[in-house]
Amino acid sequence: NFSHLKTLVVDDDVVVCESAVVTLREMGVTAEWVDSGRKAIERVRELWAVSKYYDMILIDWRMPEMDGIETARRIRGIVGPDVTIIIIMAYD
Protein backbone atom coordinates (compact mmCIF):
# COMPACT_ATOMS: atom_id res chain seq x y z
CA ASN A 1 0.00 0.00 0.00
CA PHE A 2 1.66 3.20 -1.23
CA SER A 3 -1.22 5.55 -0.43
CA HIS A 4 0.87 7.39 2.15
CA LEU A 5 3.46 8.40 -0.47
CA LYS A 6 3.20 11.85 -2.02
CA THR A 7 5.14 12.19 -5.28
CA LEU A 8 5.96 15.05 -7.62
CA VAL A 9 6.79 14.35 -11.28
CA VAL A 10 8.83 17.03 -13.06
CA ASP A 11 9.18 16.92 -16.85
CA ASP A 12 8.82 19.45 -19.65
CA ASP A 13 6.83 16.87 -21.66
CA VAL A 14 3.24 17.08 -20.41
CA VAL A 15 2.33 13.70 -21.93
CA VAL A 16 5.13 12.02 -19.96
CA CYS A 17 3.98 13.78 -16.77
CA GLU A 18 0.37 12.74 -17.21
CA SER A 19 1.33 9.16 -18.04
CA ALA A 20 3.66 8.89 -15.04
CA VAL A 21 1.00 10.27 -12.70
CA VAL A 22 -1.60 7.80 -14.01
CA THR A 23 0.81 4.91 -13.47
CA LEU A 24 1.72 6.08 -9.97
CA ARG A 25 -1.93 6.54 -9.04
CA GLU A 26 -2.71 3.03 -10.29
CA MET A 27 -0.09 1.82 -7.78
CA GLY A 28 -1.87 3.81 -5.06
CA VAL A 29 0.66 6.66 -4.89
CA THR A 30 -0.61 10.22 -4.47
CA ALA A 31 1.02 12.06 -7.37
CA GLU A 32 0.98 15.38 -9.15
CA TRP A 33 3.15 16.99 -11.81
CA VAL A 34 4.71 20.24 -12.98
CA ASP A 35 6.34 21.00 -16.32
CA SER A 36 9.51 22.84 -15.29
CA GLY A 37 12.27 22.89 -12.72
CA ARG A 38 11.25 26.38 -11.65
CA LYS A 39 7.66 25.27 -10.98
CA ALA A 40 8.93 22.23 -9.07
CA ILE A 41 11.05 24.41 -6.79
CA GLU A 42 8.12 26.76 -6.20
CA ARG A 43 5.79 23.86 -5.38
CA VAL A 44 8.30 22.24 -3.01
CA ARG A 45 8.88 25.59 -1.29
CA GLU A 46 5.10 26.16 -0.91
CA LEU A 47 4.61 22.78 0.77
CA TRP A 48 7.71 23.15 2.93
CA ALA A 49 6.41 26.50 4.22
CA VAL A 50 3.39 24.71 5.72
CA SER A 51 5.48 21.80 7.09
CA LYS A 52 4.57 19.39 4.30
CA TYR A 53 6.77 17.66 1.76
CA TYR A 54 6.91 15.13 -1.06
CA ASP A 55 8.18 11.68 -0.18
CA MET A 56 9.62 11.25 -3.65
CA ILE A 57 10.38 13.60 -6.54
CA LEU A 58 10.98 12.25 -10.05
CA ILE A 59 12.84 14.78 -12.20
CA ASP A 60 13.62 14.63 -15.90
CA TRP A 61 17.34 15.04 -16.51
CA ARG A 62 17.03 17.14 -19.67
CA MET A 63 14.70 20.11 -19.50
CA PRO A 64 15.02 23.58 -21.01
CA GLU A 65 16.04 26.55 -18.85
CA MET A 66 16.95 24.45 -15.78
CA ASP A 67 18.02 20.81 -16.08
CA GLY A 68 17.15 18.07 -13.63
CA ILE A 69 20.49 18.19 -11.83
CA GLU A 70 20.15 21.89 -11.01
CA THR A 71 16.49 21.43 -10.09
CA ALA A 72 17.43 18.61 -7.70
CA ARG A 73 20.24 20.67 -6.19
CA ARG A 74 17.90 23.57 -5.46
CA ILE A 75 15.17 21.32 -4.06
CA ARG A 76 17.73 19.56 -1.87
CA GLY A 77 18.67 23.01 -0.53
CA ILE A 78 15.07 23.44 0.65
CA VAL A 79 14.20 19.99 1.99
CA GLY A 80 17.59 18.59 2.98
CA PRO A 81 18.61 14.94 2.61
CA ASP A 82 15.43 13.19 3.74
CA VAL A 83 13.37 13.44 0.53
CA THR A 84 14.06 10.89 -2.20
CA ILE A 85 14.93 12.56 -5.50
CA ILE A 86 15.29 10.39 -8.60
CA ILE A 87 16.65 11.78 -11.87
CA ILE A 88 14.99 10.08 -14.84
CA MET A 89 15.99 10.00 -18.48
CA ALA A 90 14.74 8.38 -21.66
CA TYR A 91 17.75 8.09 -23.92
CA ASP A 92 19.42 5.21 -25.74
Side-chain angles (χ1 to χ4, degrees), residues 60-74:
D60 182 25
W61 175 47
R62 297 186 84 179
M63 295 184 291
E65 298 179 32
M66 184 185 310
D67 68 17
I69 302 298
E70 180 63 18
T71 301
R73 186 185 70 74
R74 292 187 188 193

Side-chain angles (χ1 to χ4, degrees), residues 7-79:
T7 301
L8 178 65
V9 177
V10 186
D11 197 313
D12 59 304
D13 186 333
V14 172
V15 173
V16 169
C17 287
E18 291 174 343
S19 176
V21 166
V22 166
T23 301
L24 289 165
R25 287 180 179 165
E26 286 174 354
M27 295 177 356
V29 176
T30 300
E32 59 187 73
W33 62 269
V34 293
D35 63 359
S36 74
R38 181 185 52 76
K39 289 178 184 176
I41 293 163
E42 289 173 9
R43 186 68 185 125
V44 167
R45 189 173 285 130
E46 288 170 2
L47 280 183
W48 196 252
V50 294
S51 300
K52 294 183 180 180
Y53 60 91
Y54 293 101
D55 298 291
M56 179 171 57
I57 303 172
L58 304 173
I59 305 174
D60 182 25
W61 175 47
R62 297 186 84 179
M63 295 184 291
E65 298 179 32
M66 184 185 310
D67 68 17
I69 302 298
E70 180 63 18
T71 301
R73 186 185 70 74
R74 292 187 188 193
I75 289 172
R76 185 68 68 214
I78 298 167
V79 301

